[in-house]
Amino acid sequence: MHKPILVLLSTLLLPLSSSLANAAEEQIFIDDMKVPQLRSQIDIIQKEIYKVFNASTEDDQFKIVCHDYSPTGSWIKREVCEPQFTISTRTANSRSARRGANPLLTPRQLQGVLADEYRILSEAMAALREKNEYYDELNTIAGVLNARLEEIIK
């Protein structure tokens, strides 16, 4: 059975599409999608989720920032999206550790230090889902796509 997902193409892909008619008619059947296609669609949806969330929050520390990084031992860059408060705290901790003032925190320790901020961020995102239908639909679509990806790669 096909699960059609109308990816709000008239809104999401309109800037990428040459005409509204083409975007509005397109349907995506997730059962027919391969892993690279799913990952690509998930990436598009996640970026839109972050864009909508960032537009709704006034506190820059809670905005989601996407940036490239190279994991330790690799030359291959990867993109990561994380709250600005995580970037700021990691940077401050790194500077402090270089001066010998504090130990360098592991990613797990950093999450522990920032537990309150992550709780506030989660609450803000949940509240936005209640207030903003578009944001809620984006999150629902992301959930369906992620579930299908998990189904395929198991």
Side-chain angles (χ1 to χ4, degrees):
M1 179 176 144
H2 291 291
K3 300 174 196 167
I5 299 293
L6 295 175
V7 186
L8 305 174
L9 291 169
S10 61
T11 307
L12 270 179
L13 300 180
L14 181 59
L16 307 174
S17 175
S18 60
S19 74
L20 177 60
N22 290 341
E25 292 176 7
E26 189 172 345
Q27 286 188 0
I28 296 175
F29 292 91
I30 64 169
D31 286 346
D32 296 340
M33 296 174 83
K34 305 292 182 218
V35 171
Q37 293 169 306
L38 279 168
R39 287 190 171 136
S40 175
Q41 289 300 311
I42 289 167
D43 185 57
I44 291 167
I45 298 291
Q46 285 178 330
K47 295 278 175 50
E48 185 68 10
I49 287 170
Y50 301 147
K51 180 180 166 186
V52 173
F53 178 78
N54 287 349
S56 77
T57 186
E58 293 179 14
D59 189 341
D60 289 344
Q61 287 298 308
F62 284 90
K63 292 188 177 187
I64 307 299
V65 178
C66 297
H67 58 92
D68 291 332
Y69 80 104
S70 296
T72 304
S74 174
W75 292 96
I76 300 170
K77 289 191 180 253
R78 295 191 176 166
E79 184 178 51
V80 64
C81 298
E82 57 190 351
Q84 182 60 48
F85 63 76
T86 300
I87 297 168
S88 299
T89 303
R90 184 186 308 111
T91 301
N93 175 247
S94 178
R95 286 183 186 143
S96 177
R98 278 189 299 232
R99 289 192 316 266
N102 291 306
L104 187 63
L105 298 174
T106 66
R108 180 168 280 156
Q109 290 169 327
L110 187 64
Q111 282 183 330
V113 167
L114 297 171
D116 287 341
E117 286 85 351
Y118 277 108
R119 180 186 49 74
I120 293 166
L121 177 64
S122 292
E123 289 170 358
M125 288 179 161
L128 185 57
R129 280 191 82 165
E130 293 293 320
K131 293 188 312 189
N132 186 316
E133 184 179 342
Y134 178 59
Y135 184 77
D136 183 50
E137 288 174 0
L138 288 170
N139 278 277
T140 300
I141 292 167
V144 170
L145 292 173
N146 277 306
R148 177 64 181 145
L149 181 62
E150 287 297 316
E151 220 175 77
I152 291 174
I153 61 175
K154 279 189 176 179

